[in-house]
Amino acid sequence: MWKLTQRLQPHINPTRWMVRNFRSGVAGEATGLYGFDHLKTPKGFQRFVADAIERSGELVSYISGMPSSPEIIKAMDEISDTVCCVVDSAELCRQTHPDREFVEAAHKAAMEMNDYLHHLNTNHTLYAAVKKAEQDSNLLTAEAGRTAHHLRMDFERGGIHLDPEKLDKVNNLTTNIFQLCSEFSENIADDPGHVDVFPASRIPRHLHHLLNPIYRSTSQVLRGSKRSAHSSKEKGVRITTDSRTLASVLQWTSDEEVRKMVYIQGNSVPHANHGVLEKLIASRHELAQMMGCNSFADFMVEPNLAKSPKVVTSFLQELSKTVKPKADEEYIAIRDFKREKCGDNSAALEPWDETHYTSMMKSSVNDVDTAVVASYFPLPQCIEGLKVLVESLFGATFHTVPLAPGESWHPDVIKMSLHHPDEGDLGYLYLDLYSRKGKYPGCASFAIKGGRKISETEYQLPVLALVCNFSRARDSSVVKLNHSEVEVLFHEFGHALHSLLSRTEYQHFSGTRVALDLAEMPSNLFEYYAWDYRLLKRFARHYSTGETMPEKLVNSLQGARNMFAATELQRQVFYALVDQMLFGEQPETARDVSQLVAELKREHTSWNHVEGTHWHIRFSHLLNYGAGYYSYLYAKCFASTIWQSICEEDPLSLSTGTLLREKFFKHGGAKDPAELLKDLAGKEIISVHEELRLNENAFLLVWLGLGIVILVEGIVLASSGFLPEELDKLFVKYVYPVFTPSVGLFVAGTTAYGVLKYIQNEKLKDQK
């Protein structure tokens, strides 16, 4: 019913239970984590879980009495809200809290709530109530009817229609999948790998704040003597090969041997995830087959816009073919540049060279010094940029509000309120932006509460956290972002706005709770703002002089951005194909996953595969986006169309923001995703394929009906000789005259359909 094992995205509820245990964080008044009174101590998670189960039990009892359909949906949404509140708070705590005791308590709470979810998902009384509500759709609002339909579908995707033995197996598999995903993530955090380098001078000095100093003893021997004169310590550095440090070292280090060592190490750990991933693939496949699907990819893609893995795979393979010639050209250009720089005309280009040399090429061709660029993006100014954006687009202010004692999980965390002068507060956003040991290694938006209508006059405001990993330089008190980090910040802020601006009646559809291949559209759309000088000139200021970022520098950045676009697109296609192949139909005999990934890289990228590396064992998107990573590419297509058709001409106008908010953001997942896109940007955004498919379906239905008529006519005429003479004359008089024209029409139509399909396919080839 509630798909938490796939998407741990927080929501919450305004019930008496929730109002009693959540506060918006009144300064000076002590509370617990995220404003929940229970979470003042790690042990509070136990009470948090117990109260959620107790309240959910009350609601289950209420629904069992079969109240009116609107009341059923409202109570069902409250159960979901109550349970998700605990699970989502636990997930955020588990990923970001510096106190190990809190992390362990949060993990235990998540597991307990996951078990309870299985109990709810197998409750036939709830299932019957939801079906009743769906059948009474005429009594519901459009959103309530859609909620009823989705709840019923979620029940069935959870296996409630299966016999008890199979359902028990499905529940065990779901629990196992949840545990495997947690283990995969924990292994990445616990075993990032490391490389020791001596001397420390082999690493650029400006990277030393990312590294740990180490020492080794050395001895000097006096000339002509076998005894050492004295010993000394040589300073080196330990490079932890987490993804962020790895990227920095690969970009800035000129020593190829160092780059090779960190690349291989960073793409070879954690070893434990080989087994975890194989078990995850097997468990997901078994689950999908028990649900009547050929593969987990079938199971996951069917509810989305793409509908079928075949559509996804065809899309990716066509894209791969299209981009390869240009990507090959870029590869040759990088190789030739390396040969020129190192003075070796036979030097091979290796994967550990890509970041280093493409960065150099971008800088040299476009006169871009990344250090200079970063000087215009001190983090406080970037936050000002977010404020400028929401005020320009939505007429709202984004300002800091005090944290109550106990509400925060780290001194770095700040709390922001999105406030509209006419509507009041729209929601709250915690910012946890600095890297630290043990923290979630990437950047993400974590929901804590979903928006929800409490009454005609009261709305439960969304609450979420935006988590990033920006590093403080040891030699500077100012945190400066490179432009790719600015882009990431705006990307995640797009997710946050999707939740903050959502005004759905039910939390089930709040914010980002949409079809998977639509969820990344707002984040990709807001990346465009990180490149648009009309916004940049209003916040990008030099950290020491206050000088506005020159437009010429932004133009150079944009030129550098486009230099290796094909290579980056090729990489994303490769990632998506790996995801599809791992969770697609499985062979009868066991396969070597690492070998499959290596083959896909050779086939779909211009780069070598480095033997012994296993990039996929730290690709965490396989967890939350299993068989759905393609959605990033889908979303990029949608975002590009929306930017060009709606935003590009006047990206900071209130009219542009109003259109985005009214046509898209406020609806969350409460409307059909295709309708949302068409309402916002016109039906062209979905492409001609949908229209062709609908016309084709209508044509085939008519042709099927005509075929059935011909069949009945034929049977009647064939049997007429065995009927009484009066009936035989009647059939010959009325049926026989139309039989031959019907057959002729059917044959002519079939021929015409074949010709039209041929022409249509040729047109589609031209469009591609």
Side-chain angles (χ1 to χ4, degrees):
M1 179 170 64
W2 298 286
K3 297 175 283 189
L4 293 178
T5 53
Q6 283 80 38
R7 297 186 300 173
L8 292 170
Q9 296 180 345
H11 342 292
I12 290 190
N13 175 338
T15 66
R16 58 180 177 80
W17 175 84
M18 201 54 62
V19 170
R20 186 174 71 240
N21 290 288
F22 177 83
R23 303 180 188 179
S24 61
V26 180
E29 186 177 349
T31 183
L33 282 177
Y34 326 127
F36 295 109
D37 286 340
H38 281 323
L39 302 183
K40 293 176 180 176
T41 67
K43 290 183 179 179
F45 269 109
Q46 296 175 11
R47 188 71 254 166
F48 206 23
V49 169
D51 276 11
I53 292 175
E54 179 184 351
R55 176 57 183 160
S56 297
E58 293 172 1
L59 291 164
V60 170
S61 297
Y62 172 68
I63 293 170
S64 299
M66 290 296 169
S68 68
S69 292
E71 288 300 314
I72 288 172
I73 298 306
K74 184 176 180 180
M76 288 292 293
D77 195 59
E78 184 175 331
I79 294 174
S80 179
D81 208 21
T82 302
V83 170
C84 291
C85 168
V86 181
V87 174
D88 296 333
S89 297
E91 180 65 10
L92 176 59
C93 179
R94 196 174 70 83
Q95 296 286 2
T96 62
H97 207 291
D99 187 332
R100 192 67 195 173
E101 199 175 345
F102 260 107
V103 172
E104 290 172 357
H107 179 72
K108 184 177 180 182
M111 296 302 296
E112 289 178 13
M113 290 310 299
N114 195 58
D115 289 341
Y116 182 64
L117 272 170
H118 298 327
H119 166 73
L120 293 173
N121 289 342
T122 56
N123 188 309
H124 285 267
T125 301
L126 295 181
Y127 178 49
V130 167
K131 289 200 295 183
K132 171 185 177 297
E134 186 181 14
Q135 290 165 1
D136 293 341
S137 59
N138 60 310
L139 304 177
L140 304 174
T141 64
E143 184 178 335
R146 183 171 168 82
T147 303
H149 174 72
H150 276 252
L151 285 171
R152 194 259 302 166
M153 293 293 291
D154 287 347
F155 265 118
E156 292 171 0
R157 285 174 65 80
I160 199 167
H161 59 292
L162 302 174
D163 63 59
E165 184 178 348
K166 287 185 177 179
L167 182 55
D168 186 54
K169 179 67 173 174
V170 166
N171 287 335
N172 290 336
L173 282 168
T174 304
T175 300
N176 185 47
I177 289 168
F178 180 83
Q179 292 170 338
L180 289 168
C181 289
S182 296
E183 187 179 350
F184 192 96
S185 295
E186 288 165 7
N187 288 341
I188 293 173
D190 294 343
D191 182 17
H194 70 269
V195 171
D196 294 341
V197 175
F198 291 93
S201 58
R202 296 176 73 184
I203 306 297
R205 189 167 185 78
H206 74 275
L207 296 183
H208 283 203
H209 70 283
L210 299 174
L211 317 174
N212 296 313
I214 55 174
Y215 299 89
R216 67 180 177 186
S217 296
T218 61
S219 60
Q220 294 181 350
V221 180
L222 292 174
R223 184 177 297 176
S225 171
K226 293 184 179 180
R227 292 189 307 166
S228 61
H230 63 86
S231 62
S232 62
K233 287 188 175 181
E234 181 183 25
K235 183 180 179 181
V237 289
R238 172 161 290 180
I239 303 171
T240 302
T241 52
D242 61 274
S243 56
R244 187 176 184 280
T245 306
L246 177 63
S248 296
V249 173
L250 289 175
Q251 178 179 349
W252 293 105
T253 303
S254 59
D255 188 322
E256 182 169 354
E257 184 182 358
V258 172
R259 294 201 309 271
K260 179 179 179 180
M261 287 191 297
V262 297
Y263 176 89
I264 291 174
Q265 178 66 8
N267 286 281
S268 303
V269 292
H271 298 291
N273 274 354
H274 283 291
V276 175
L277 181 57
E278 288 178 2
K279 291 175 184 176
L280 179 62
I281 292 169
S283 295
R284 282 178 165 174
H285 183 67
E286 186 177 359
L287 173 66
Q289 293 214 307
M290 294 195 71
M291 299 303 298
C293 298
N294 290 330
S295 67
F296 186 72
D298 276 300
F299 183 68
M300 287 301 296
V301 176
E302 189 276 331
N304 299 332
L305 281 162
K307 296 300 182 187
S308 164
K310 291 181 180 178
V311 172
V312 173
T313 303
S314 176
F315 164 70
L316 294 173
Q317 288 176 339
E318 285 293 327
L319 204 52
S320 177
K321 291 176 186 176
T322 302
V323 77
K324 193 171 190 310
K326 181 61 178 174
D328 286 345
E329 288 179 17
E330 292 176 357
Y331 176 88
I332 293 170
I334 302 166
R335 183 200 63 192
D336 292 346
F337 184 82
K338 175 186 177 179
R339 290 176 175 178
E340 178 187 341
K341 287 296 178 183
C342 68
D344 181 357
N345 288 332
S346 62
L349 183 64
E350 302 292 351
W352 52 80
D353 295 324
E354 180 187 354
T355 305
H356 181 65
Y357 287 109
T358 55
S359 178
M360 290 177 65
M361 292 174 73
K362 288 177 180 180
S363 297
S364 62
V365 172
N366 296 284
D367 192 24
V368 174
D369 184 328
T370 53
V372 172
V373 171
S375 68
Y376 288 98
F377 292 116
L379 184 53
Q381 281 302 120
C382 293
I383 295 174
E384 286 300 312
L386 303 181
K387 295 178 181 180
V388 170
L389 186 56
V390 296
E391 186 168 6
S392 300
L393 283 174
F394 309 115
T397 57
F398 194 48
H399 59 272
T400 305
V401 294
L403 283 156
E407 185 178 1
S408 177
W409 56 99
H410 192 275
D412 289 341
V413 175
I414 60 175
K415 184 179 181 181
M416 311 290 288
S417 169
L418 185 63
H419 181 86
H420 193 278
D422 299 325
E423 303 171 46
D425 288 339
L426 301 178
Y428 299 98
L429 178 66
Y430 295 103
L431 297 180
D432 183 2
L433 302 179
Y434 302 103
S435 62
R436 59 180 177 269
K437 186 177 181 181
K439 181 183 172 184
Y440 175 78
C443 296
S445 178
F446 290 82
I448 299 171
K449 287 184 61 174
R452 171 185 168 101
K453 183 179 179 182
I454 297 174
S455 68
E456 292 303 318
T457 58
E458 189 176 3
Y459 193 83
Q460 174 179 287
L461 298 180
V463 181
L464 58 154
L466 199 162
V467 177
C468 293
N469 275 277
F470 303 137
S471 292
R472 291 184 173 95
R474 288 176 183 169
D475 58 349
S476 174
S477 60
V478 180
V479 176
K480 300 184 287 289
L481 307 187
N482 61 51
H483 189 265
S484 64
E485 290 174 324
V486 176
E487 188 177 35
V488 166
L489 179 63
F490 276 75
H491 176 103
E492 295 304 333
F493 191 61
H495 282 308
L497 284 176
H498 200 176
S499 294
L500 292 169
L501 296 174
S502 168
R503 283 300 176 268
T504 56
E505 186 175 354
Y506 302 101
Q507 66 81 35
H508 190 81
F509 291 128
S510 178
T512 58
R513 308 192 89 193
V514 298
L516 187 62
D517 40 15
L518 182 64
E520 291 293 333
M521 189 284 287
S523 55
N524 276 277
L525 178 65
F526 273 75
E527 286 182 15
Y528 283 93
Y529 283 99
W531 293 92
D532 197 294
Y533 190 67
R534 288 166 289 187
L535 175 63
L536 293 176
K537 69 181 180 182
R538 295 177 63 178
F539 78 87
R541 303 272 192 278
H542 195 277
Y543 75 99
S544 63
T545 67
E547 175 200 5
T548 299
M549 190 175 192
E551 186 171 8
K552 181 180 178 182
L553 183 56
V554 176
N555 292 337
S556 296
L557 267 177
Q558 292 170 341
R561 174 197 191 189
N562 296 326
M563 277 188 71
F564 302 104
T567 299
E568 180 54 35
L569 178 56
Q570 189 180 66
R571 183 177 5 263
Q572 294 301 317
V573 171
F574 163 59
Y575 290 169
L577 281 167
V578 167
D579 180 44
Q580 284 295 308
M581 295 301 105
L582 291 185
F583 296 112
E585 294 186 21
Q586 302 295 304
E588 294 182 3
T589 57
R591 64 184 177 185
D592 186 325
V593 172
S594 294
Q595 183 179 341
L596 172 64
V597 172
E599 290 171 355
L600 287 170
K601 184 173 184 181
R602 294 186 187 100
E603 182 180 355
H604 294 284
T605 80
S606 307
W607 295 79
N608 302 327
H609 169 72
V610 180
E611 293 299 330
T613 59
H614 315 282
W615 151 87
H616 55 284
I617 58 175
R618 63 194 295 175
F619 189 48
S620 58
H621 285 88
L622 295 175
L623 310 181
N624 294 335
Y625 285 87
Y629 191 80
Y630 76 91
S631 62
Y632 279 99
L633 291 169
Y634 259 48
K636 282 184 180 295
C637 295
F638 297 145
S640 175
T641 301
I642 291 167
W643 175 260
Q644 293 173 40
S645 62
I646 294 172
C647 305
E648 189 171 32
E649 183 177 343
D650 195 0
L652 297 175
S653 70
L654 192 59
S655 59
T656 297
T658 300
L659 187 61
L660 290 173
R661 186 180 179 191
E662 293 299 314
K663 294 288 188 180
F664 187 86
F665 282 117
K666 81 171 187 179
H667 298 292
K671 290 182 69 174
D672 178 79
E675 291 303 314
L676 276 175
L677 290 170
K678 287 190 285 188
D679 286 349
L680 179 61
K683 67 180 182 180
E684 291 78 12
I685 193 171
I686 302 297
S687 131
V688 297
H689 292 283
E690 182 181 5
E691 186 176 343
L692 291 172
R693 178 178 57 82
L694 292 174
N695 291 341
E696 183 177 332
N697 287 347
F699 177 85
L700 291 176
L701 283 173
V702 171
W703 229 239
L704 177 62
L706 182 58
I708 292 172
V709 169
I710 292 171
L711 178 63
V712 171
E713 288 176 344
I715 293 172
V716 167
L717 289 174
S719 61
S720 64
F722 301 96
L723 298 175
E725 186 176 351
E726 293 78 9
L727 283 176
D728 183 31
K729 290 180 180 179
L730 191 66
F731 286 156
V732 169
K733 182 177 180 180
Y734 291 105
V735 177
Y736 184 77
V738 299
F739 179 71
T740 301
S742 296
V743 173
L745 178 62
F746 187 82
V747 172
T750 303
T751 303
Y753 175 72
V755 172
L756 287 172
K757 283 296 293 181
Y758 173 80
I759 295 171
Q760 181 187 103
N761 289 336
E762 290 301 307
K763 286 183 178 179
L764 288 177
K765 286 181 183 178
D766 292 341
Q767 288 174 4
K768 289 175 183 176

